[in-house]
Amino acid sequence: MYQQKQSVTEPGQSCAVTALLHQQCPQLSEWYATPLTRSRLVTLQSALQQELQTRLCNGASCYALHLLQLVCRFQYRIDVQLDYQQLLAAVQNVPEQALLELVYGQLLASCKQTGAHQHLADGFALAAEYLSSADYFRLVRQHELLGWLALADTASAPQQLQSLLAEAAVIKQLQGDTGVPFGATHRDTLG
């Protein structure tokens, strides 16, 4: 068991999605849609099952673990719409709902799928009062830049956040003032 947990969070291999495994209150400002290799997914799911059993036996909250299950299923290219709906029905507070919307929006954005912008916007609106000033403005800028991505009903191969931001920056530059990103709602605070 120790070896599995260690392999999930090896130095240099760590990503925010592993925080869903280990933290009761994951950060709303993190990016949870980093594509994982199949071997990392298998290792993560094994650790997830062990942690889920432990928390269930101790009566601890399992919401973040169920969200992690959604992430893993999405990365296996399984339709997670029903999982999303079930988690939405199970939220117990605003931060949980914000996290669900942000994570689902990030997963959709990573594959440039329709709906990503709206879920990111909904998640941000819910999360805003729980974010530090620095995280607030970082997410505003990140989401507005991602708003330049063209989305489609058919998923593309998942991409890293930096790749998505670079592509969005190029699109923004090419369209100049003629294009308008989805939900450009923070012009008053960012100019």
Side-chain angles (χ1 to χ4, degrees), residues 27-131:
Q27 297 295 309
L28 295 172
S29 59
E30 293 294 329
W31 182 263
Y32 295 96
T34 300
L36 302 172
T37 64
R38 192 159 191 79
S39 64
R40 290 223 36 226
L41 277 170
V42 168
T43 302
L44 187 58
Q45 281 192 298
S46 176
L48 167 64
Q49 291 306 317
Q50 290 176 3
E51 184 65 21
L52 189 57
Q53 285 178 342
T54 301
R55 288 194 195 175
L56 287 172
C57 288
N58 294 330
S61 173
C62 296
Y63 190 81
L65 297 178
H66 292 298
L67 188 55
L68 178 56
Q69 284 178 321
L70 177 138
V71 171
C72 290
R73 289 175 54 81
F74 186 92
Q75 293 215 9
Y76 277 122
R77 303 276 180 140
I78 297 171
D79 183 9
V80 296
Q81 180 62 31
L82 181 58
D83 300 70
Y84 164 77
Q85 293 296 331
Q86 289 174 333
L87 283 171
L88 188 58
V91 297
Q92 295 183 358
N93 54 49
V94 174
E96 282 184 357
Q97 185 176 358
L99 184 64
L100 173 62
E101 293 297 336
L102 289 168
V103 170
Y104 193 57
Q106 291 170 7
L107 291 169
L108 294 175
S110 74
C111 295
K112 295 187 271 185
Q113 273 189 278
T114 304
H117 299 311
Q118 189 61 55
H119 286 284
L120 289 174
D122 292 347
F124 180 80
L126 292 165
E129 70 180 86
Y130 300 97
L131 297 170

Side-chain angles (χ1 to χ4, degrees), residues 170-190:
V170 169
I171 293 168
K172 179 181 178 183
Q173 176 121 12
L174 291 173
Q175 290 189 3
D177 292 332
T178 61
V180 178
F182 172 86
T185 57
H186 298 285
R187 296 285 180 226
D188 57 333
T189 54
L190 294 179

Side-chain angles (χ1 to χ4, degrees), residues 112 148-150 159 162-172:
K112 295 187 271 185
W148 289 92
L149 291 174
Q159 295 179 38
Q162 292 308 315
S163 298
L164 294 167
L165 292 173
E167 180 179 339
V170 169
I171 293 168
K172 179 181 178 183

